[in-house]
PDB file of all heavy atoms in Angstrom:
ATOM      1  N   ALA A 487       0.449  11.966   6.821  1.00 96.00           N
ATOM      2  CA  ALA A 487       0.845  12.845   5.722  1.00 96.00           C
ATOM      3  C   ALA A 487       1.055  14.267   6.232  1.00 96.00           C
ATOM      4  O   ALA A 487       2.015  14.949   5.841  1.00 96.00           O
ATOM      5  CB  ALA A 487      -0.221  12.827   4.628  1.00 96.00           C
ATOM      6  N   GLU A 488       0.169  14.714   7.116  1.00 97.00           N
ATOM      7  CA  GLU A 488       0.286  16.073   7.646  1.00 97.00           C
ATOM      8  C   GLU A 488       1.614  16.259   8.378  1.00 97.00           C
ATOM      9  O   GLU A 488       2.237  17.330   8.299  1.00 97.00           O
ATOM     10  CB  GLU A 488      -0.884  16.376   8.593  1.00 97.00           C
ATOM     11  CG  GLU A 488      -0.899  17.806   9.099  1.00 97.00           C
ATOM     12  CD  GLU A 488      -2.167  18.140   9.862  1.00 97.00           C
ATOM     13  OE1 GLU A 488      -3.107  17.327   9.849  1.00 97.00           O
ATOM     14  OE2 GLU A 488      -2.222  19.235  10.456  1.00 97.00           O
ATOM     15  N   ALA A 489       2.058  15.225   9.074  1.00 97.00           N
ATOM     16  CA  ALA A 489       3.347  15.314   9.775  1.00 97.00           C
ATOM     17  C   ALA A 489       4.499  15.487   8.790  1.00 97.00           C
ATOM     18  O   ALA A 489       5.453  16.229   9.060  1.00 97.00           O
ATOM     19  CB  ALA A 489       3.554  14.066  10.630  1.00 97.00           C
ATOM     20  N   PHE A 490       4.426  14.823   7.658  1.00 98.00           N
ATOM     21  CA  PHE A 490       5.492  14.946   6.664  1.00 98.00           C
ATOM     22  C   PHE A 490       5.367  16.240   5.846  1.00 98.00           C
ATOM     23  O   PHE A 490       6.356  16.740   5.336  1.00 98.00           O
ATOM     24  CB  PHE A 490       5.489  13.733   5.738  1.00 98.00           C
ATOM     25  CG  PHE A 490       6.165  12.524   6.314  1.00 98.00           C
ATOM     26  CD1 PHE A 490       5.428  11.496   6.874  1.00 98.00           C
ATOM     27  CD2 PHE A 490       7.552  12.420   6.291  1.00 98.00           C
ATOM     28  CE1 PHE A 490       6.058  10.373   7.414  1.00 98.00           C
ATOM     29  CE2 PHE A 490       8.195  11.313   6.822  1.00 98.00           C
ATOM     30  CZ  PHE A 490       7.442  10.280   7.392  1.00 98.00           C
ATOM     31  N   PHE A 491       4.141  16.770   5.729  1.00 97.00           N
ATOM     32  CA  PHE A 491       3.959  18.056   5.057  1.00 97.00           C
ATOM     33  C   PHE A 491       4.462  19.215   5.933  1.00 97.00           C
ATOM     34  O   PHE A 491       4.704  20.313   5.437  1.00 97.00           O
ATOM     35  CB  PHE A 491       2.474  18.290   4.747  1.00 97.00           C
ATOM     36  CG  PHE A 491       1.971  17.565   3.530  1.00 97.00           C
ATOM     37  CD1 PHE A 491       0.796  16.832   3.589  1.00 97.00           C
ATOM     38  CD2 PHE A 491       2.654  17.630   2.322  1.00 97.00           C
ATOM     39  CE1 PHE A 491       0.302  16.169   2.466  1.00 97.00           C
ATOM     40  CE2 PHE A 491       2.177  16.959   1.201  1.00 97.00           C
ATOM     41  CZ  PHE A 491       1.001  16.231   1.264  1.00 97.00           C
ATOM     42  N   SER A 492       4.591  18.955   7.227  1.00 97.00           N
ATOM     43  CA  SER A 492       4.979  19.993   8.184  1.00 97.00           C
ATOM     44  C   SER A 492       6.494  20.032   8.372  1.00 97.00           C
ATOM     45  O   SER A 492       7.200  19.064   8.053  1.00 97.00           O
ATOM     46  CB  SER A 492       4.323  19.718   9.543  1.00 97.00           C
ATOM     47  OG  SER A 492       2.923  19.650   9.429  1.00 97.00           O
ATOM     48  N   PRO A 493       7.027  21.135   8.894  1.00 97.00           N
ATOM     49  CA  PRO A 493       8.453  21.154   9.264  1.00 97.00           C
ATOM     50  C   PRO A 493       8.725  20.152  10.387  1.00 97.00           C
ATOM     51  O   PRO A 493       7.804  19.638  11.027  1.00 97.00           O
ATOM     52  CB  PRO A 493       8.664  22.603   9.741  1.00 97.00           C
ATOM     53  CG  PRO A 493       7.543  23.382   9.142  1.00 97.00           C
ATOM     54  CD  PRO A 493       6.375  22.433   9.092  1.00 97.00           C
ATOM     55  N   ALA A 494       9.974  19.874  10.619  1.00 97.00           N
ATOM     56  CA  ALA A 494      10.365  18.928  11.667  1.00 97.00           C
ATOM     57  C   ALA A 494       9.804  19.369  13.023  1.00 97.00           C
ATOM     58  O   ALA A 494       9.814  20.560  13.346  1.00 97.00           O
ATOM     59  CB  ALA A 494      11.879  18.824  11.737  1.00 97.00           C
ATOM     60  N   PRO A 495       9.294  18.435  13.844  1.00 97.00           N
ATOM     61  CA  PRO A 495       8.760  18.782  15.163  1.00 97.00           C
ATOM     62  C   PRO A 495       9.805  19.489  16.022  1.00 97.00           C
ATOM     63  O   PRO A 495      10.956  19.048  16.110  1.00 97.00           O
ATOM     64  CB  PRO A 495       8.380  17.423  15.752  1.00 97.00           C
ATOM     65  CG  PRO A 495       8.163  16.538  14.564  1.00 97.00           C
ATOM     66  CD  PRO A 495       9.154  16.999  13.547  1.00 97.00           C
ATOM     67  N   GLU A 496       9.417  20.555  16.663  1.00 96.00           N
ATOM     68  CA  GLU A 496      10.365  21.370  17.437  1.00 96.00           C
ATOM     69  C   GLU A 496      11.019  20.578  18.564  1.00 96.00           C
ATOM     70  O   GLU A 496      12.212  20.745  18.841  1.00 96.00           O
ATOM     71  CB  GLU A 496       9.638  22.590  18.008  1.00 96.00           C
ATOM     72  CG  GLU A 496       9.202  23.585  16.932  1.00 96.00           C
ATOM     73  CD  GLU A 496       8.524  24.803  17.535  1.00 96.00           C
ATOM     74  OE1 GLU A 496       8.471  24.907  18.791  1.00 96.00           O
ATOM     75  OE2 GLU A 496       8.052  25.654  16.763  1.00 96.00           O
ATOM     76  N   ARG A 497      10.237  19.687  19.207  1.00 96.00           N
ATOM     77  CA  ARG A 497      10.793  18.926  20.330  1.00 96.00           C
ATOM     78  C   ARG A 497      11.921  17.999  19.861  1.00 96.00           C
ATOM     79  O   ARG A 497      12.922  17.828  20.568  1.00 96.00           O
ATOM     80  CB  ARG A 497       9.701  18.125  21.039  1.00 96.00           C
ATOM     81  CG  ARG A 497       8.972  17.145  20.141  1.00 96.00           C
ATOM     82  CD  ARG A 497       7.899  16.342  20.848  1.00 96.00           C
ATOM     83  NE  ARG A 497       7.219  15.446  19.925  1.00 96.00           N
ATOM     84  CZ  ARG A 497       7.723  14.291  19.498  1.00 96.00           C
ATOM     85  NH1 ARG A 497       8.911  13.902  19.929  1.00 96.00           N
ATOM     86  NH2 ARG A 497       7.048  13.541  18.656  1.00 96.00           N
ATOM     87  N   ILE A 498      11.762  17.414  18.680  1.00 97.00           N
ATOM     88  CA  ILE A 498      12.799  16.520  18.163  1.00 97.00           C
ATOM     89  C   ILE A 498      14.018  17.330  17.733  1.00 97.00           C
ATOM     90  O   ILE A 498      15.166  16.926  17.984  1.00 97.00           O
ATOM     91  CB  ILE A 498      12.259  15.688  16.987  1.00 97.00           C
ATOM     92  CG1 ILE A 498      11.163  14.742  17.474  1.00 97.00           C
ATOM     93  CG2 ILE A 498      13.387  14.896  16.326  1.00 97.00           C
ATOM     94  CD1 ILE A 498      10.545  13.883  16.383  1.00 97.00           C
ATOM     95  N   VAL A 499      13.774  18.488  17.122  1.00 97.00           N
ATOM     96  CA  VAL A 499      14.894  19.353  16.716  1.00 97.00           C
ATOM     97  C   VAL A 499      15.686  19.791  17.951  1.00 97.00           C
ATOM     98  O   VAL A 499      16.930  19.750  17.956  1.00 97.00           O
ATOM     99  CB  VAL A 499      14.372  20.588  15.944  1.00 97.00           C
ATOM    100  CG1 VAL A 499      15.514  21.570  15.666  1.00 97.00           C
ATOM    101  CG2 VAL A 499      13.707  20.158  14.638  1.00 97.00           C
ATOM    102  N   ALA A 500      14.974  20.173  18.980  1.00 96.00           N
ATOM    103  CA  ALA A 500      15.646  20.615  20.214  1.00 96.00           C
ATOM    104  C   ALA A 500      16.457  19.475  20.826  1.00 96.00           C
ATOM    105  O   ALA A 500      17.578  19.682  21.319  1.00 96.00           O
ATOM    106  CB  ALA A 500      14.610  21.127  21.208  1.00 96.00           C
ATOM    107  N   LYS A 501      15.910  18.287  20.820  1.00 96.00           N
ATOM    108  CA  LYS A 501      16.602  17.133  21.389  1.00 96.00           C
ATOM    109  C   LYS A 501      17.880  16.825  20.601  1.00 96.00           C
ATOM    110  O   LYS A 501      18.952  16.592  21.189  1.00 96.00           O
ATOM    111  CB  LYS A 501      15.683  15.919  21.382  1.00 96.00           C
ATOM    112  CG  LYS A 501      16.260  14.635  21.981  1.00 96.00           C
ATOM    113  CD  LYS A 501      15.189  13.551  22.029  1.00 96.00           C
ATOM    114  CE  LYS A 501      15.700  12.280  22.702  1.00 96.00           C
ATOM    115  NZ  LYS A 501      16.760  11.622  21.924  1.00 96.00           N
ATOM    116  N   LEU A 502      17.792  16.825  19.273  1.00 96.00           N
ATOM    117  CA  LEU A 502      18.970  16.550  18.437  1.00 96.00           C
ATOM    118  C   LEU A 502      20.013  17.632  18.613  1.00 96.00           C
ATOM    119  O   LEU A 502      21.220  17.359  18.615  1.00 96.00           O
ATOM    120  CB  LEU A 502      18.550  16.449  16.969  1.00 96.00           C
ATOM    121  CG  LEU A 502      17.698  15.237  16.580  1.00 96.00           C
ATOM    122  CD1 LEU A 502      17.204  15.367  15.142  1.00 96.00           C
ATOM    123  CD2 LEU A 502      18.508  13.948  16.735  1.00 96.00           C
ATOM    124  N   LEU A 503      19.549  18.866  18.770  1.00 95.00           N
ATOM    125  CA  LEU A 503      20.480  19.980  18.974  1.00 95.00           C
ATOM    126  C   LEU A 503      21.199  19.844  20.311  1.00 95.00           C
ATOM    127  O   LEU A 503      22.434  20.052  20.403  1.00 95.00           O
ATOM    128  CB  LEU A 503      19.707  21.298  18.910  1.00 95.00           C
ATOM    129  CG  LEU A 503      20.523  22.591  18.899  1.00 95.00           C
ATOM    130  CD1 LEU A 503      21.453  22.617  17.688  1.00 95.00           C
ATOM    131  CD2 LEU A 503      19.588  23.799  18.864  1.00 95.00           C
ATOM    132  N   ALA A 504      20.464  19.467  21.337  1.00 96.00           N
ATOM    133  CA  ALA A 504      21.064  19.290  22.662  1.00 96.00           C
ATOM    134  C   ALA A 504      22.072  18.145  22.660  1.00 96.00           C
ATOM    135  O   ALA A 504      23.083  18.190  23.388  1.00 96.00           O
ATOM    136  CB  ALA A 504      19.977  19.030  23.699  1.00 96.00           C
ATOM    137  N   GLU A 505      21.803  17.122  21.860  1.00 95.00           N
ATOM    138  CA  GLU A 505      22.718  15.984  21.767  1.00 95.00           C
ATOM    139  C   GLU A 505      23.855  16.226  20.773  1.00 95.00           C
ATOM    140  O   GLU A 505      24.661  15.329  20.527  1.00 95.00           O
ATOM    141  CB  GLU A 505      21.926  14.733  21.345  1.00 95.00           C
ATOM    142  CG  GLU A 505      20.901  14.290  22.381  1.00 95.00           C
ATOM    143  CD  GLU A 505      19.990  13.187  21.858  1.00 95.00           C
ATOM    144  OE1 GLU A 505      19.980  12.950  20.622  1.00 95.00           O
ATOM    145  OE2 GLU A 505      19.278  12.561  22.670  1.00 95.00           O
ATOM    146  N   LYS A 506      23.869  17.458  20.196  1.00 95.00           N
ATOM    147  CA  LYS A 506      24.899  17.865  19.225  1.00 95.00           C
ATOM    148  C   LYS A 506      24.915  16.968  17.974  1.00 95.00           C
ATOM    149  O   LYS A 506      25.960  16.732  17.367  1.00 95.00           O
ATOM    150  CB  LYS A 506      26.289  17.890  19.878  1.00 95.00           C
ATOM    151  CG  LYS A 506      26.414  18.860  21.045  1.00 95.00           C
ATOM    152  CD  LYS A 506      27.837  18.998  21.520  1.00 95.00           C
ATOM    153  CE  LYS A 506      27.939  19.905  22.736  1.00 95.00           C
ATOM    154  NZ  LYS A 506      27.370  21.240  22.527  1.00 95.00           N
ATOM    155  N   LYS A 507      23.741  16.467  17.611  1.00 95.00           N
ATOM    156  CA  LYS A 507      23.632  15.642  16.407  1.00 95.00           C
ATOM    157  C   LYS A 507      23.306  16.476  15.175  1.00 95.00           C
ATOM    158  O   LYS A 507      23.432  16.004  14.041  1.00 95.00           O
ATOM    159  CB  LYS A 507      22.578  14.556  16.608  1.00 95.00           C
ATOM    160  CG  LYS A 507      22.994  13.515  17.647  1.00 95.00           C
ATOM    161  CD  LYS A 507      21.938  12.432  17.816  1.00 95.00           C
ATOM    162  CE  LYS A 507      22.394  11.382  18.821  1.00 95.00           C
ATOM    163  NZ  LYS A 507      21.361  10.319  19.040  1.00 95.00           N
ATOM    164  N   ILE A 508      22.844  17.705  15.417  1.00 95.00           N
ATOM    165  CA  ILE A 508      22.682  18.673  14.336  1.00 95.00           C
ATOM    166  C   ILE A 508      23.226  20.006  14.822  1.00 95.00           C
ATOM    167  O   ILE A 508      23.400  20.217  16.026  1.00 95.00           O
ATOM    168  CB  ILE A 508      21.201  18.829  13.903  1.00 95.00           C
ATOM    169  CG1 ILE A 508      20.342  19.339  15.067  1.00 95.00           C
ATOM    170  CG2 ILE A 508      20.656  17.518  13.358  1.00 95.00           C
ATOM    171  CD1 ILE A 508      18.895  19.662  14.641  1.00 95.00           C
ATOM    172  N   THR A 509      23.470  20.913  13.882  1.00 93.00           N
ATOM    173  CA  THR A 509      24.019  22.229  14.247  1.00 93.00           C
ATOM    174  C   THR A 509      22.907  23.251  14.438  1.00 93.00           C
ATOM    175  O   THR A 509      21.752  23.020  14.069  1.00 93.00           O
ATOM    176  CB  THR A 509      24.966  22.728  13.157  1.00 93.00           C
ATOM    177  OG1 THR A 509      24.205  22.984  11.963  1.00 93.00           O
ATOM    178  CG2 THR A 509      26.051  21.695  12.854  1.00 93.00           C
ATOM    179  N   GLU A 510      23.281  24.416  15.008  1.00 94.00           N
ATOM    180  CA  GLU A 510      22.320  25.511  15.179  1.00 94.00           C
ATOM    181  C   GLU A 510      21.754  25.944  13.819  1.00 94.00           C
ATOM    182  O   GLU A 510      20.559  26.194  13.685  1.00 94.00           O
ATOM    183  CB  GLU A 510      23.012  26.704  15.854  1.00 94.00           C
ATOM    184  CG  GLU A 510      23.389  26.477  17.307  1.00 94.00           C
ATOM    185  CD  GLU A 510      22.220  26.751  18.252  1.00 94.00           C
ATOM    186  OE1 GLU A 510      21.126  27.078  17.739  1.00 94.00           O
ATOM    187  OE2 GLU A 510      22.403  26.625  19.468  1.00 94.00           O
ATOM    188  N   GLU A 511      22.631  26.028  12.826  1.00 92.00           N
ATOM    189  CA  GLU A 511      22.187  26.442  11.495  1.00 92.00           C
ATOM    190  C   GLU A 511      21.209  25.432  10.909  1.00 92.00           C
ATOM    191  O   GLU A 511      20.172  25.798  10.343  1.00 92.00           O
ATOM    192  CB  GLU A 511      23.381  26.602  10.554  1.00 92.00           C
ATOM    193  CG  GLU A 511      22.981  27.071   9.157  1.00 92.00           C
ATOM    194  CD  GLU A 511      24.159  27.139   8.196  1.00 92.00           C
ATOM    195  OE1 GLU A 511      25.241  26.617   8.536  1.00 92.00           O
ATOM    196  OE2 GLU A 511      23.981  27.694   7.092  1.00 92.00           O
ATOM    197  N   GLU A 512      21.523  24.146  11.056  1.00 94.00           N
ATOM    198  CA  GLU A 512      20.628  23.112  10.535  1.00 94.00           C
ATOM    199  C   GLU A 512      19.274  23.158  11.233  1.00 94.00           C
ATOM    200  O   GLU A 512      18.226  22.995  10.602  1.00 94.00           O
ATOM    201  CB  GLU A 512      21.264  21.735  10.690  1.00 94.00           C
ATOM    202  CG  GLU A 512      22.438  21.510   9.742  1.00 94.00           C
ATOM    203  CD  GLU A 512      23.277  20.291  10.100  1.00 94.00           C
ATOM    204  OE1 GLU A 512      23.128  19.776  11.231  1.00 94.00           O
ATOM    205  OE2 GLU A 512      24.086  19.870   9.258  1.00 94.00           O
TER     206      GLU A 512
END
Side-chain angles (χ1 to χ4, degrees):
E488 185 171 351
F490 279 100
F491 280 132
S492 303
E496 292 182 4
R497 58 179 179 78
I498 294 179
V499 173
K501 181 175 184 294
L502 291 172
L503 189 60
E505 295 171 346
K506 299 188 183 304
K507 292 181 178 178
I508 61 173
T509 66
E510 291 276 2
E511 182 184 12
E512 289 167 345

